[in-house]
Amino acid sequence: MLMLSCIWLLGACGKTEPAAPPATETKPPGESTVEAPSGDLAPLEKRTKVFIAEDGAASGAGFYIAKEKGYFEDYNIEVEFADFANSDDMLPALAAGEVDIAGGVSTASFFNAIAQGIDVRIIADKGHNVPGKSYFTFVIGNHMVDEIKEYSDFKGKKIAVSSRNSIDGYIYEEMLKHAGLTEDDVEYVHIADFVAMLGAIDSGTVDAALNIEPLITQGVEKGFHVRFGDATDYAPESQIAMVLASPKFMEDEELSLRFMLAYLKGLHDYNDAFFKDIEKEAIVDIMVKHTALKDPALWDKVYVTGLNPNGDMHVEDIKKQFESYKANGAILGDIDFNIAIDTSLADKATEIIGEYE
């Protein structure tokens, strides 16, 4: 891993009066001074393990970078990644405190779990589309490049989407509204597997598909499809994934705040690398290690996940997605978003380390 830029010490010579001895802070008896390797808060007195439900998705970049850069270690936090087959298993474990942190994707089943008493907190950004470079967007088959020029040209076409009453279905529906179309104007084709969409669109079985990186870039390179427009044309602030926390984890303020500080530092490095080209090679090495995208060269071509360096989420869009699923009859019950969404940790951590510029 490449090291951060070297620190140069500047000195000056001159005749000066003898320096006074450094001031020392008087501590109450029994209280010792603890060095803060993080540069802000002192590490936890007791080493603490945090379990993160993460499956190697690129949107987990903040976790991976913070781990490899030693940001968690600075606070005496040890992280361990736990893989769950699906969110149906992960959410109860999170609510019970068996895992502390997880990544959640917007779905009706996710919101239903909260509405029916699964107590988790939505605390920070874990994935959104970057304007003009959406990592989750539509592609069209090569056989459609001369026929589909505008969104309205989707009329009468076969469109593959992986699921309904989810972020996939939400973006699909927002696109149709933007195009001035109804669901009766197009043919919805359910293909749950994003990889299978590549073959379907290449063979002409479908005309367009809502796919995700790195499959979008890989499909373009192999000639299966071409990008069409950008999801931020019609869903500019869609919150795709979120960091979730257990109530037990949130109650431990010393631990949870330090965890969030480390996470945001990881996001700062991520944004530096992919949007400012600072220490990019080192960050790509970390992403290659922790995700399924093992080709470093491809990281220069994919449209990467948007991750807000201050942890900010598109809160109103989260609520809009909930209402969309509810209007479709997929939600049973209501959610108090004043409780379910808790941005306090990200806000406090940003106050400590400053807003990213």
Side-chain angles (χ1 to χ4, degrees), residues 232-263:
T232 59
D233 293 340
Y234 44 85
E237 296 187 338
S238 53
Q239 187 66 51
I240 297 172
M242 303 150 283
V243 177
L244 312 176
S246 74
K248 180 180 177 181
F249 176 80
M250 295 293 286
E251 289 171 3
D252 190 335
E253 295 180 5
E254 290 194 351
L255 170 62
S256 59
L257 179 56
R258 284 164 174 77
F259 180 92
M260 182 59 71
L261 282 164
Y263 177 65

Side-chain angles (χ1 to χ4, degrees), residues 66 69 101 134 139 155 255 262 278 319 347-348:
K69 288 273 194 169
I101 295 289
S134 292
V139 294
K155 185 173 183 177
L255 170 62
I278 299 173
K319 297 175 182 177
D347 293 341
K348 290 176 184 175

Side-chain angles (χ1 to χ4, degrees), residues 18-221:
T24 57
E25 183 180 355
T26 302
K27 291 281 186 181
E31 185 176 340
S32 60
T33 301
V34 179
E35 182 186 357
S38 62
D40 38 69
L41 298 187
L44 296 169
E45 291 186 4
K46 182 180 178 181
R47 187 167 182 79
T48 305
K49 179 176 285 191
V50 172
F51 290 93
I52 305 173
E54 184 54 70
D55 60 0
S59 61
F63 303 138
Y64 314 141
I65 296 168
K67 175 180 172 64
E68 297 298 333
K69 288 273 194 169
Y71 298 144
F72 289 125
E73 188 67 34
D74 285 345
Y75 297 111
N76 207 16
I77 295 173
E78 178 184 353
V79 297
E80 182 173 321
F81 297 113
D83 191 10
F84 283 80
N86 55 63
S87 60
D88 290 340
D89 295 331
M90 178 266 290
L91 285 175
L94 185 66
E98 295 170 6
V99 294
D100 305 294
I101 295 289
V105 177
S106 169
T107 64
S109 61
F110 164 71
F111 287 122
N112 268 327
I114 297 177
Q116 294 170 19
I118 296 292
D119 190 9
V120 299
R121 301 288 186 269
I122 303 168
I123 64 171
D125 182 27
K126 193 177 176 284
H128 64 270
N129 279 326
V130 176
K133 292 190 173 183
S134 292
Y135 81 105
F136 189 41
T137 193
F138 281 97
V139 294
I140 61 173
N142 294 310
H143 62 292
M144 285 284 113
V145 293
D146 293 327
E147 191 169 339
I148 301 177
K149 300 291 187 181
E150 305 290 340
Y151 286 104
S152 58
D153 294 334
F154 276 111
K155 185 173 183 177
K157 303 301 186 293
K158 298 177 181 179
I159 305 176
V161 182
S162 67
S163 61
R164 299 304 302 267
N165 292 311
S166 64
I167 187 62
D168 310 61
Y170 174 77
I171 289 179
Y172 168 68
E173 291 170 14
E174 291 298 297
M175 183 278 290
L176 292 179
K177 293 176 188 175
H178 177 76
L181 302 174
T182 68
E183 299 220 22
D184 292 335
D185 291 323
V186 299
E187 183 177 343
Y188 171 88
V189 180
H190 179 78
I191 300 180
D193 185 357
F194 289 116
V195 176
M197 289 182 186
L198 298 179
I201 203 167
D202 184 47
S203 66
T205 303
V206 298
D207 303 312
L210 178 58
N211 214 311
I212 195 166
E213 290 285 19
L215 294 175
I216 292 174
T217 295
Q218 291 171 329
V220 169
E221 294 216 321

